[in-house]
Amino acid sequence: MSVVVTGATGQLGRLTIEHLIAGGTPAGEITAVGRSADRLAGLAARGVRTAVADYSDAAALEAAFAGAQTVLLVSGSEVGRRVAQHGSVIDAAKAAGVRRVVYTSAPHADETALVLAPEHTATEQLLRDSGLAWTVLRNNWYTENYADAVSAARESGVILTSAGDGRVASASRDDYAAAAAVVVAGGEAHDGRVYELSGDVAWTFAELADAASQVLGTPVAVQQVSSDEHHAALLGSGLDEGTADFVVTLDGDIRRGDLADATSDLRDLVGRPTTPLVEGLRAALRA
Ligand SMILES: NC(=O)c1ccc[n+]([C@@H]2O[C@H](COP(=O)([O-])OP(=O)(O)OC[C@H]3O[C@@H](n4cnc5c(N)ncnc54)[C@H](OP(=O)(O)O)[C@@H]3O)[C@@H](O)[C@H]2O)c1
């Protein structure tokens, strides 16, 4: 069974390839697609086939996908350009005769007001309209997203948030990669399935501060502020306006509950509990 993993120079793509190999998919049956041959060289040295293609380069994508049954489309990182890019990946998969595309989306993409969701919702629709078999992996947040906040709390002793009592059902990036590998290596049973992947536990920022205390071995408290205060503090710490807007909007989404749904889909796919918050933060800070 020949599979393609896009975004293979990124963290989720690389971890998914590790899990595919560990799960018994021969390296020679995997094609890793990225934008830089240099950054794919490590995988090539292990016998993984590699191909260089940008998500907007239809011809390179089609050549990379030739002979593959399944393509894992790891959502891109260029916010605002992703629908066209993902559409070009889906079109190339179809042109190359690929059977199924697996796509990494956002929690409850079809009904959420989450700031990042619209490009995922649109991509899911492109997949449904493509005529290809598809599987959607709606990934909740990575625990690693909070590694910087925890690191900074070593000095400041606080985690600043405007998310109120909102909860985040995060899991470690590696958990999502393990689930992606199960789905990519799996067969038709995953066709047409939408998995809401999350950690087993949805935590509050007060619980994040407790976890940070355990990881750092020093007291960390949560500091709840209004959105405006949060925005001002982020600008004061050197963030640019756009990034500060984004962080505050995201905390508002969390306050509304957009990331709070802890499901069993991830642990069911991987056959074990997801990585607990403390353990996930500890590993992220070691990395
Ligand atoms: N659930 C979450 O908490 C969360 C957090 C952050 C991101 N995400 C989403 O999940 C995806 C995977 O996460 P990650 O941690 O693996 O992110 P990452 O390390 O930034 O990897 C993103 C991958 O996408 C590739 N890519 C981006 N734009 C591309 C394009 N136009 N053409 C070809 N490849 C392109 C990147 O290539 P280069 O290496 O060449 O840049 C990289 O390989 C992200 O891209 C983003 O959509 C989710």
Side-chain angles (χ1 to χ4, degrees):
M1 185 203 55
S2 176
V3 301
V4 173
V5 176
T6 70
T9 51
Q11 303 170 89
L12 185 74
R14 184 184 52 75
L15 289 168
T16 302
I17 290 171
E18 299 294 347
H19 281 286
L20 280 167
I21 294 171
T25 302
E29 296 281 306
I30 302 169
T31 301
V33 176
R35 290 190 284 191
S36 151
D38 281 354
R39 287 186 291 124
L40 290 166
L43 287 166
R46 297 175 57 194
V48 173
R49 292 154 56 178
T50 60
V52 174
D54 189 280
Y55 286 170
S56 48
D57 186 344
L61 290 167
E62 190 179 332
F65 296 167
Q69 281 155 302
T70 295
V71 169
L72 172 63
L73 166 52
V74 171
S75 53
S77 42
E78 296 166 350
V79 174
R81 301 175 58 196
R82 297 189 291 181
V83 180
Q85 292 173 344
H86 296 164
S88 131
V89 175
I90 293 165
D91 288 347
K94 197 165 178 177
V98 165
R99 194 188 80 76
R100 177 177 60 137
V101 172
V102 178
Y103 174 65
T104 61
S105 185
H108 299 285
D110 53 343
E111 57 187 16
T112 182
L114 182 70
V115 59
L116 286 165
E119 289 181 298
H120 292 296
T121 315
T123 304
E124 288 191 10
Q125 193 56 48
L126 291 175
L127 268 182
R128 289 190 172 85
D129 295 343
S130 68
L132 294 167
W134 52 264
T135 309
V136 171
L137 307 175
R138 289 183 176 164
N139 292 347
N140 201 304
W141 252 214
Y142 303 149
T143 294
E144 287 82 351
N145 295 347
Y146 295 94
D148 286 349
V150 170
S151 248
R154 194 190 299 275
E155 288 293 313
S156 66
V158 296
I159 289 182
L160 188 72
T161 181
S162 48
D165 292 332
R167 291 179 179 274
V168 180
S170 76
S172 290
R173 192 186 271 104
D174 191 59
D175 293 333
Y176 295 103
V182 167
V183 168
V184 167
E188 295 176 10
H190 300 291
D191 286 4
R193 297 290 305 269
V194 175
Y195 294 106
E196 295 285 349
L197 302 180
S198 76
D200 296 343
V201 175
W203 45 262
T204 64
F205 278 74
E207 289 163 339
L208 177 65
D210 284 348
S213 303
Q214 289 180 57
V215 169
L216 299 172
T218 173
V220 177
V222 67
Q223 188 181 347
Q224 295 280 359
V225 291
S226 70
S227 297
D228 286 347
E229 289 165 339
H230 196 185
H231 193 262
L234 292 170
L235 291 182
S237 71
L239 253 57
D240 62 81
E241 185 81 32
T243 310
D245 281 350
F246 177 74
V247 172
V248 170
T249 302
L250 204 49
D251 268 19
D253 292 351
I254 292 170
R255 192 169 61 236
R256 194 172 50 224
D258 289 349
L259 296 179
D261 190 20
T263 71
S264 63
D265 283 5
L266 208 173
R267 72 164 175 267
D268 289 348
L269 280 172
V270 300
R272 59 164 172 79
T274 61
T275 307
L277 179 60
V278 169
E279 207 179 298
L281 290 172
R282 203 166 264 144
L285 262 60
R286 268 199 309 266

